[in-house]
Amino acid sequence: YCSITKYFTILIFYYFKIMALRTRLGEILRPLNAEYGKVAPGWGTTPVMGVFMGLFLVFLVIILQIYNSSIILENVDVDWVTVN
């Protein structure tokens, strides 16, 4: 049991050693990860996210209404025959 644990420990160590290569892209992206775990005080960007979620909901409702022919647009057919 001990030798198996030792073997896997060495294997994992070398695996992460290989995976931790320094690249130019990694150096460019490093500042984006510098504040990991920090939370902005207050609501932060939650209202902005809420606005975009609302706009996405409106978009989905419009697409659904077009598909159900609740909104009829000229020259827009919503049957599968016109796809081919």
Side-chain angles (χ1 to χ4, degrees):
Y1 175 76
C2 186
S3 62
I4 293 174
T5 306
K6 185 176 180 182
Y7 172 75
F8 280 117
T9 304
I10 293 170
L11 184 66
I12 291 171
F13 173 76
Y14 282 116
Y15 174 76
F16 284 114
K17 187 89 168 157
I18 291 170
M19 294 301 293
L21 296 175
R22 289 188 175 260
T23 62
R24 181 162 171 76
L25 179 62
E27 295 300 322
I28 292 171
L29 296 177
R30 182 177 302 276
L32 296 177
N33 199 25
E35 296 189 17
Y36 172 76
K38 294 183 181 176
V39 179
W43 285 90
T45 59
T46 305
V48 175
M49 181 183 64
V51 168
F52 280 107
M53 287 174 65
L55 291 173
F56 186 63
L57 177 67
V58 170
F59 169 74
L60 291 178
V61 167
I62 291 171
I63 295 298
L64 180 64
Q65 288 181 354
I66 290 172
Y67 183 73
N68 285 334
S69 299
S70 301
I71 297 178
I72 299 174
L73 301 174
E74 294 180 13
N75 300 325
V76 176
D77 294 327
V78 289
D79 55 350
W80 289 103
V81 176
T82 59
V83 173
N84 295 329

